[in-house]
Amino acid sequence: MVNDNKVVLITGASSGIGAALARYYTSKGFNTVIAARRSERLQKISAECASINFSVRAVTVKCDVTKQEDLDNVVNVARNNFGRLDTVIANAGFGVVGKFENLNLDDYKRQFEVNVWGVQNTVWASLDELKKTKGKLAIMGSGSSHFSLPGVSAYSMSKYSVRALAEALYFELMRYGISVTLICPGLVESEIRKVDNYGVYNPEAKEESELVSPMKTDKAARQIYSAIEKRKREVIITFHCKLLMFVNKYLPSVMSLLMKSYAKKL
Ligand SMILES: NC(=O)c1ccc[n+]([C@@H]2O[C@H](COP(=O)([O-])OP(=O)(O)OC[C@H]3O[C@@H](n4cnc5c(N)ncnc54)[C@H](OP(=O)(O)O)[C@@H]3O)[C@@H](O)[C@H]2O)c1
């Protein structure tokens, strides 16, 4: 049964923040098109969405964001099922970690393929549909879009890049009535810290202990939804991320001391 509710497309919706966004948008009456590589995980999230709101639908599409044809297919599925696309959240991503001297160019390319070119592929695929609805585009950055921590140069470079993309697109897409929201979370509960440098999730992987406790994923999803709906240019998620950004900008010598002691521990 087709309804004429609004439609959101979310990449990387098989776990973590993307899955929480799928549930939250569902609770707000959106039909969802949820995409990622692991189909069985998407089925699980789709079933969760169905139990939250039976009057909307969650359609799953297997998709690797490094492949433009996969994203073209996701948008076709949205068009064929719902006839419209109101919001697109380019969320899929992972983190290549390690000191520069221990990484090689392929590690950096792999990071950019997903976190940067995957975002671009998502935007290219969905732009025509967003123009029709004067829709909302959201790009997943990070606190690492604003400060680069030692040991995560590949990830930070990718997140600085999407911040640059979001800044340019904010003004480029204005003429079409499309808003662009850059999302910059600090630590949020998810599976990202159990994904290896090849983008493979390992449930047995040991997570590094963090200095601050991560924000609950559902709380992050609520804040992200609110910012996108209000067509904000950027949203910073978590108090510790806001604090670090403040220190980085206004107290650079304090930030240097923090980074020096962090780097020593690597
Ligand atoms: N959690 C945090 O603390 C945090 C902080 C700042 C920014 N972020 C950003 O938030 C986004 C979501 O991450 P998360 O924390 O929710 O981690 P997560 O639980 O590991 O989720 C990552 C999602 O991205 C998908 N994905 C990865 N590579 C993909 C590819 N090539 N094609 C399609 N989908 C792909 C994964 O699905 P499949 O494996 O099924 O493909 C999964 O659904 C990322 O961009 C991340 O950088 C997270």
Side-chain angles (χ1 to χ4, degrees):
M1 193 180 65
V2 181
N3 58 46
D4 54 7
N5 292 33
K6 286 192 173 177
V7 181
V8 60
L9 185 168
I10 306 166
T11 66
S14 61
S15 70
I17 299 171
L21 283 168
R23 289 189 293 266
Y24 196 67
Y25 270 87
T26 295
S27 76
K28 292 290 178 183
F30 278 70
N31 291 307
T32 56
V33 179
I34 53 177
R37 294 167 302 174
R38 290 171 294 172
S39 304
E40 67 295 345
R41 287 293 209 95
L42 289 175
Q43 296 300 337
K44 183 176 161 278
I45 306 303
S46 169
E48 286 173 15
C49 290
S51 71
I52 291 168
N53 185 347
F54 63 85
S55 65
V56 293
R57 288 169 57 209
V59 176
T60 67
V61 195
K62 188 178 167 70
C63 157
D64 182 335
V65 294
T66 66
K67 296 179 181 152
Q68 181 70 64
E69 62 273 21
D70 279 14
L71 283 153
D72 292 342
N73 180 48
V74 176
V75 173
N76 273 332
V77 169
R79 198 185 295 116
N80 293 340
N81 276 273
F82 303 115
R84 62 186 293 166
L85 196 47
D86 300 275
T87 302
V88 172
I89 309 178
N91 164 72
F94 78 109
V96 168
V97 296
K99 289 197 279 187
F100 178 81
E101 61 187 300
N102 297 333
L103 299 176
N104 59 42
L105 191 55
D106 283 340
D107 294 315
Y108 284 82
K109 282 183 181 167
R110 207 179 311 114
Q111 181 71 101
F112 270 68
E113 265 181 6
V114 177
N115 288 15
V116 183
W117 302 322
V119 170
Q120 290 173 252
N121 288 338
T122 309
V123 180
W124 275 315
S126 56
L127 206 44
D128 284 345
E129 291 303 319
L130 286 177
K131 283 179 187 173
K132 289 180 201 164
T133 55
K134 299 190 191 312
K136 298 167 181 129
L137 170 67
I139 291 177
M140 182 55 79
S142 165
S144 300
S145 299
H146 288 271
F147 46 83
S148 185
L149 301 177
V152 284
S153 61
Y155 183 73
S156 300
M157 284 168 71
S158 74
K159 293 298 183 182
Y160 267 64
S161 291
V162 292
R163 178 173 156 222
L165 178 68
E167 277 183 21
L169 287 183
Y170 180 84
F171 294 104
E172 277 188 34
L173 300 186
M174 231 172 214
R175 71 177 63 191
Y176 304 114
I178 300 172
S179 55
V180 180
T181 303
L182 176 68
I183 305 158
C184 293
L187 274 185
V188 175
E189 277 180 359
S190 79
E191 293 180 356
I192 197 167
R193 283 162 283 277
K194 291 190 171 203
V195 175
D196 68 17
N197 280 1
Y198 292 85
V200 177
Y201 170 64
N202 174 9
E204 310 303 324
K206 192 175 162 289
E207 284 191 47
E208 294 286 318
S209 58
E210 304 287 356
L211 289 173
V212 292
S213 53
M215 180 185 269
K216 296 280 177 208
T217 323
D218 289 342
K219 183 175 180 186
R222 283 199 300 276
Q223 295 185 6
I224 292 167
Y225 170 89
S226 166
I228 297 172
E229 282 309 296
K230 289 177 183 154
R231 296 185 183 268
K232 285 196 174 166
R233 191 167 158 189
E234 183 173 5
V235 60
I236 315 295
I237 309 286
T238 76
F239 172 73
H240 62 260
C241 188
K242 287 177 189 163
L243 184 63
L244 264 183
M245 280 178 63
F246 177 87
V247 172
N248 191 40
K249 194 167 177 184
Y250 298 108
L251 302 166
S253 52
V254 175
M255 191 70 172
S256 289
L257 284 174
L258 285 173
M259 291 300 110
K260 270 185 204 163
S261 85
Y262 189 74
K264 271 188 199 157
K265 290 183 190 140
L266 287 179

